[in-house]
């Protein structure tokens, strides 16, 4: 900035004019003004052009930020309208699964009643003590299945399942069976009044069952697992109603035949270890026995176990034995697991055929 002396004439001012112009041009105020005008000429906020509502050109959208914003809004609205049919299809699929589950429940109930339950109870219905004992048993069964599900999920997330799969299968199989039978026998032998050791061994038994189920659950989609669980609950629920409303001790004779059928199903499950891979028909036959024969056998075990629970309730009411819903729930848990595994395999086969 140039400071002029107070006494200076017009001639002296004309001589100093170039210096004044040069100094004013290099002043901070002038530089700020030029920067403001240059930025204003480049900024679209100061332009008078009209931006179209939808900018489909990428270069144009990058040149005009407001246009890119409008294009994103338009794209979001289009994606919203495209997702609406997808949501409707998902609701229809969920409704279809619920209808299939209801059909399994109703169909199993009707067929089992027609085939086995022609004679109902003649003692005026289920007494209160039987109902309470049966409800307590099913409560422990649901709790045990929940422990198995949560333990299996934790095994998958922690990577324990993959370490099991990389180990020697014979060691894992034999060791797992030994732990499973050991914890089950230990749970049954402990008196029901000793709550802490009994529930501790029962939890350990459920953990061993989770170790058996977790390798399968690690590679099956969650939606398919939910469907298999729904169908298993529908099947076991309908059979349980038949067993609870049937005549007293009507199905207790099924214990021996069901054990024989279970042995056949177990042998069919071990058949691939003995039969060569070239015997396709034999392997397919044993697989059908494992799947459909297993469903029939463990459905029969559910019927037998429900009537056994009611029989034990009557014995406990007379003081012959103690009430022990933990022991009763073990049998129903095994029924649920075996039916659930076969439901998963059947649904996986159907899904592979559709592909």
């Amino acid at each position: 900035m140039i400071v002029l002396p107070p006494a200076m004439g017009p001639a002296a001012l004309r001589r100093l004019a170039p210096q004044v112009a040069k100094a004013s041009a290099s002043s901070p105020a002038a530089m700020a003004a030029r920067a403001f005008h240059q930025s204003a000429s480049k900024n679209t906020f100061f332009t008078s052009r009209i931006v179209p509502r939808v900018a489909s050109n990428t270069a144009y959208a990058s040149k005009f930020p407001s246009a890119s914003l409008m294009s994103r809004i338009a794209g979001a609205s289009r994606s919203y309208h495209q997702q609406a049919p997808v949501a409707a299809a998902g609701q229809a699929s969920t409704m279809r699964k619920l209808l299939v589950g209801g059909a399994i429940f109703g169909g199993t109930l009707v067929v089992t009643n027609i085939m086995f339950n022609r004679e109902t109870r003649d003692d005026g219905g289920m007494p209160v003590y039987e109902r309470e004992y049966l409800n307590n048993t099913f409560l422990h069964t649901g709790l045990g299945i929940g422990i198995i599900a949560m333990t299996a999920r934790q095994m998958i997330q922690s990577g324990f399942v993959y370490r099991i799969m990389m180990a020697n299968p014979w060691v894992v199989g034999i060791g797992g069976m030994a732990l499973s039978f050991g914890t089950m026998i230990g749970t049954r032998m402990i008196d029901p009044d000793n709550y802490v050791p009994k529930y501790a061994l029962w939890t350990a038994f459920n953990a061993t069952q989770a170790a058996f189920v977790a390798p399968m659950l690690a590679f099956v989609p969650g939606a398919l697992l939910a469907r298999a669980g729904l169908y298993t609950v529908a099947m076991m629920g309908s059979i349980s109603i038949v067993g609870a409303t049937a005549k007293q001790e009507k199905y207790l004779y099924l214990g021996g035949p069901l054990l024989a059928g279970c042995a056949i199903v177990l042998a069919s499950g071990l058949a691939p270890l003995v039969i060569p891979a070239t015997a396709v028909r034999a392997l397919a036959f044993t697989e059908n026995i494992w799947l459909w024969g297993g469903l029939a056998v463990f459905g029969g075990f559910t019927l037998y176990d429900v009537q056994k629970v009611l029989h034990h309730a009557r014995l406990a009411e007379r003081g012959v034995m103690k009430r022990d819903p933990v022991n009763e729930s073990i049998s129903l848990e095994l029924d649920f697991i075996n039916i659930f595994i076969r439901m998963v395999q059947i649904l996986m086969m159907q899904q592979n055929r559709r592909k």
Side-chain angles (χ1 to χ4, degrees):
M1 184 175 180
I2 303 299
V3 180
L4 300 178
M8 183 175 290
L13 287 174
R14 282 195 299 269
R15 287 195 303 269
L16 292 175
Q19 299 179 7
V20 172
K22 182 178 180 181
S24 63
S26 61
S27 63
M31 293 175 65
R34 281 200 303 271
F36 175 77
H37 286 291
Q38 289 174 0
S39 62
S41 62
K42 294 180 181 179
N43 196 346
T44 57
F45 181 77
F46 295 96
T47 185
S48 59
R49 299 178 185 176
I50 298 176
V51 179
R53 289 188 297 176
V54 178
S56 60
N57 192 347
T58 306
Y60 188 80
S62 63
K63 186 177 179 181
F64 298 100
S66 59
S68 63
L69 177 61
M70 293 300 295
S71 65
R72 287 196 297 269
I73 294 174
S77 63
R78 286 196 299 270
S79 64
Y80 172 79
H81 289 294
Q82 291 173 359
Q83 289 175 0
V86 176
Q91 293 178 357
S93 178
T94 304
M95 183 60 65
R96 182 176 61 83
K97 295 173 185 177
L98 293 175
L99 289 176
V100 173
I104 292 176
F105 178 83
T108 307
L109 183 64
V110 171
V111 171
T112 311
N113 266 310
I114 292 175
M115 294 179 62
F116 301 106
N117 204 22
R118 296 179 182 178
E119 295 179 2
T120 56
R121 299 183 62 137
D122 53 1
D123 56 353
M126 186 183 299
V128 177
Y129 62 89
E130 289 186 9
R131 185 182 300 109
E132 291 179 353
Y133 192 56
L134 186 62
N135 291 337
N136 200 4
T137 300
F138 276 112
L139 178 64
H140 281 79
T141 303
L143 181 61
I145 293 171
I147 293 173
I148 293 172
M150 290 187 295
T151 307
R153 178 182 175 84
Q154 185 62 32
M155 287 181 178
I156 295 171
Q157 292 179 348
S158 63
F160 180 74
V161 172
Y162 304 102
R163 289 194 293 271
I164 291 177
M165 296 172 65
M166 295 300 294
N168 191 335
W170 289 103
V171 174
V172 172
I174 295 175
M177 292 292 291
L179 286 174
S180 177
F181 280 108
T183 52
M184 181 178 65
I185 294 173
T187 304
R188 290 184 179 276
M189 291 180 62
I190 295 177
D191 191 87
D193 294 332
N194 297 329
Y195 295 103
V196 176
K198 191 172 187 68
Y199 278 93
L201 275 179
W202 180 61
T203 305
F205 166 75
N206 291 326
T208 59
Q209 303 308 307
F212 281 117
V213 177
M216 180 191 68
L217 302 183
F219 301 100
V220 179
L224 193 143
L225 293 176
R227 289 175 59 192
L230 175 65
Y231 299 161
T232 304
V233 171
M235 180 176 175
M236 287 193 65
S238 59
I239 294 175
S240 299
I241 292 176
V242 172
T245 57
K247 191 176 180 179
Q248 292 182 2
E249 303 179 5
K250 181 180 180 180
Y251 299 116
L252 293 182
Y253 74 93
L254 292 175
L258 288 173
L259 285 176
C262 183
I264 295 174
V265 171
L266 179 61
S268 65
L270 299 176
L273 299 177
V274 181
I275 300 176
T278 54
V280 180
R281 292 185 179 179
L283 289 174
F285 179 72
T286 56
E287 184 180 6
N288 288 329
I289 294 178
W290 166 260
L291 288 178
W292 304 105
L295 280 180
V297 167
F298 289 103
F301 267 118
T302 303
L303 192 63
Y304 169 79
D305 290 332
V306 170
Q307 286 235 310
K308 185 181 67 174
V309 170
L310 298 177
H311 176 66
H312 289 171
R314 290 189 290 270
L315 293 179
E317 183 67 17
R318 294 195 294 265
V320 178
M321 59 176 292
K322 291 184 178 181
R323 293 173 176 265
D324 197 348
V326 175
N327 286 356
E328 308 290 352
S329 66
I330 290 176
S331 301
L332 291 171
E333 286 180 35
L334 294 175
D335 298 338
F336 183 92
I337 291 172
N338 282 279
I339 294 175
F340 175 75
I341 289 173
R342 283 159 178 81
M343 286 290 184
V344 171
Q345 293 177 344
I346 291 172
L347 293 176
M348 288 292 292
M349 291 172 58
Q350 293 179 352
Q351 187 175 8
N352 293 332
R353 289 171 184 170
R354 292 171 184 173
K355 294 180 179 179

